[in-house]
Amino acid sequence: MIQVVLVGATGSIGRSTLAVLRGLGPDARLLGVFAGSRAEPLARIASEWDVRYAGLASDEQLPALRTALPNVRTGAGAEILQEAIRDPDTDVVVSAAAGTAGLPASLEAVRQGKTLALANKESLVVLGPLLLAEARKTGARILPVDSEHSAIFQCLRAGRPGEVRRVVLTASGGPFRTWSREQMARATPADALRHPTWSMGPKITVDSATLMNKALEIVEARWLFDLRPEQIDVVVHPQSMVHSMVEFVDGSVVAQMGPPDMELPIQYALTYPERRKADRPGFRTEDFSALTFEDPDRERFPALGLGEQAARAGGTAGAVLNAANEVAVQRFLDGEIPFPAIADTVASVLEDTGLIADPTIEQIYEADRTAREDATRCRT
Ligand code: NAD
Ligand code: MG
């Protein structure tokens, strides 16, 4: 039986994880659930699943959580999260909070030698080699939930590490794939939140519109698969049926495919190295009859180049990229800056920040703080 702590239980990945656990039936048990600030939706999940732990990140609604769950260990903040992850029964931590808020759970999971099912790509973008070094120390496994990285992870089983020529990340292109620069300059938050193929939380949905999501995924892939930055390419594939590809040294291209559905990569991370039976469609001619691929337009989507830049620079560059972007996305959603200013803000903060090549965790958190301040003040 797989015993799971789910961080970000009330979000989009959280909901898909619950659906996967339902499908796994008695082979899986939900041990703990964590969310940001709202007690009611978390309490509902905690009661339904009869969990041992339930925690919020902030304490305003902790009294309500306590009242709703008298027989569950409840709390707010880092301590209860650590307690749940450290529980000897915990096998897997699904890290699916949005943004930098997801880092503590990922770090604690690898420090405790647990399997980390990683949806929170920010953990790898920001902490990079430090997260991997912690995992090496304890023997923790980091398994990707991000669909592109799960695809690459699956494709890599077709060859040896030295036999990889490059990986090709697919991108849907987002809602503005065919928009001109002028149209994008007038894009509203509602426009950016209308993703053509995936239903996700608001932050990652805006990132899909700027292609910053792909930029973050380039950095994520660099660390997770120990690739050189020039081994990572991006192709726009609007149907989101091919989830990514690995090209081997002999020219063979192995792809992982299927209808867009996060439950598959989540299930694979939970049951790896096994594949469990599930009632999901596989190949259907009508789904695959018109797949198209095109090179991304780097002028309309400058975020992509920023991701490549951060992947090449390493060190604190990922933290700066991610922090500046989080602030810029929020400013766009608040109606404070226009859509193209998101990438402009990130570019300007990256440009103005002195990077540290081999940082400590404290230096990474400091880079994150400074980049947030700079992005808040930035007038592009
Ligand atoms: P979401 O906004 O739908 O959900 C976020 C969840 O995190 C909520 O449950 C929220 O309560 C919780 N949360 C917020 N702050 C928290 C904190 N400090 N501690 C614990 N929980 C906290 O986001 P999402 O779309 O589910 O994305 C979650 C993560 O997964 C992101 O890192 C995203 O990039 C990644 N991801 C998502 C998808 C997808 O399809 N949604 C795909 C690939 C990767
Ligand atoms: Mg992805």
Side-chain angles (χ1 to χ4, degrees), residues 161-211:
E163 296 168 347
V164 175
R165 186 191 282 164
R166 61 172 183 147
V167 304
V168 182
L169 295 168
T170 52
S172 72
F176 304 148
R177 182 173 60 90
T178 60
W179 287 34
S180 69
R181 290 173 76 99
E182 294 69 35
Q183 284 173 304
M184 282 197 270
R186 291 191 299 271
T188 63
D191 294 329
L193 289 171
R194 218 172 285 129
H195 195 278
T197 49
W198 293 96
S199 154
M200 310 178 285
K203 154 74 171 41
I204 183 173
T205 305
V206 175
D207 286 346
S208 300
T210 52
L211 292 203

Side-chain angles (χ1 to χ4, degrees), residues 207-219:
D207 286 346
S208 300
T210 52
L211 292 203
M212 186 59 84
N213 183 46
K214 222 40 61 176
L216 298 173
E217 290 182 356
I218 291 173
V219 185

